[in-house]
Amino acid sequence: MISLKDIGRWTDVSAVRTDVTMAEVEEMIKVVRECRCICASPMPWITKYVVDALADRPETVVTGVVGFPSGAVTTAIKTAEAKEHIRSGCRELDMVLNVSALRSSKWQYVFEDIRAVAEAAEGFPLKVILEVCYLTDDEICRAAETAVRAGAAFVKTGTGWGTAPTTAKHIRLIRRIVGASAKIKAAGGVRDLDTLLAMQEAGCDRFGIGVRSAKAIFSEAYR
């Protein structure tokens, strides 16, 4: 069960929206420091800055985002992004799978796309984002299985850019498929403490929370 005083150790704080400003990036860094968060997730152009800003915090890693937000860039672009992030000091990667290819039943392409990025990650954890709001339950199940088979350490539910929020039902569905073979990260719709706790009970291991919601959730948890 999650310890509320250590909620930061379950949380990736992100600043990955299109309209995020440098002020919000600085706020993300501040929140990550104050709450000892396990991870910070910035947009690519500012990732190296965040790595340097958190260099004195070995308990916190920086995630490099790959293929945001659609997942539809080519595999070559995704692997180049992954390699650049690793060179910059990122120690985890969050990759959007190719939703268009998945929904077109191009499963071999989806598998090879993920596998290529997993190899480019050089052994660091890869979190594969399904973007569940666009998928049927059957597609979610097959996507989760494909991601794990291709080398994902985490199956992640969404980018936070989608049309509908992640729910505890999604977590239970993915857990049923992946079992103990991968961890689950919920993102997209984790905007209050009750939702976070319900997802944790459903089998979630990590939470991706935008900096705009993280401060409120942490304040409620500490109270």
Side-chain angles (χ1 to χ4, degrees):
M1 185 64 183
I2 194 168
S3 168
L4 294 184
K5 69 181 178 64
D6 293 326
I7 193 169
R9 304 312 297 160
W10 292 69
T11 306
D12 295 7
V13 180
S14 66
V16 294
R17 301 292 299 181
T18 297
D19 60 343
V20 162
T21 64
M22 273 303 300
E24 288 176 291
V25 172
E26 296 292 358
E27 189 65 26
M28 176 186 69
I29 293 168
K30 179 181 177 183
V31 170
V32 165
R33 283 180 165 278
E34 290 177 350
C35 300
R36 298 181 57 252
C37 295
I38 196 164
C39 186
S41 300
M43 288 292 268
W45 79 277
I46 202 68
T47 295
K48 183 61 167 64
Y49 176 86
V50 176
V51 169
D52 292 343
L54 293 170
D56 63 334
R57 293 298 179 105
E59 73 274 17
T60 298
V61 299
V62 176
T63 283
V65 297
V66 174
F68 262 58
S70 70
V73 297
T74 64
T75 301
I77 296 296
K78 286 182 177 178
T79 56
E81 284 185 314
K83 291 175 181 178
E84 181 177 358
H85 286 318
I86 297 301
R87 287 195 301 269
S88 295
C90 293
R91 293 299 175 259
E92 292 184 0
L93 299 174
D94 280 23
M95 168 200 172
V96 190
L97 61 68
N98 192 315
V99 178
S100 177
L102 184 159
R103 298 192 68 237
S104 302
S105 298
K106 302 292 186 182
W107 289 103
Q108 188 62 28
Y109 183 97
V110 172
F111 172 81
E112 291 175 359
D113 191 51
I114 297 169
R115 183 172 62 179
V117 177
E119 291 173 353
E122 300 181 9
F124 292 109
L126 174 65
K127 291 168 274 184
V128 173
I129 303 169
L130 308 188
E131 206 69 296
V132 295
C133 64
Y134 298 115
L135 308 180
T136 66
D137 285 359
D138 286 345
E139 287 171 334
I140 291 169
C141 291
R142 186 163 180 182
E145 183 275 330
T146 300
V148 174
R149 187 162 50 87
F154 285 78
V155 175
K156 181 178 171 182
T157 58
T159 60
W161 296 52
T163 56
T166 295
T167 67
K169 175 190 171 186
H170 293 129
I171 303 302
R172 287 190 291 270
L173 182 63
I174 294 168
R175 179 56 69 200
R176 178 168 63 82
I177 296 302
V178 304
S181 62
K183 295 181 178 181
I184 300 173
K185 177 180 172 182
V190 186
R191 298 189 179 96
D192 59 70
L193 184 60
D194 286 346
T195 298
L196 185 151
L197 294 174
M199 289 183 177
Q200 191 272 335
E201 186 175 358
C204 195
D205 302 286
R206 187 88 71 86
F207 302 93
I209 305 175
V211 65
R212 300 174 187 180
S213 299
K215 291 171 63 178
I217 291 174
F218 290 158
S219 294
E220 185 178 0
Y222 295 150
R223 283 200 302 271

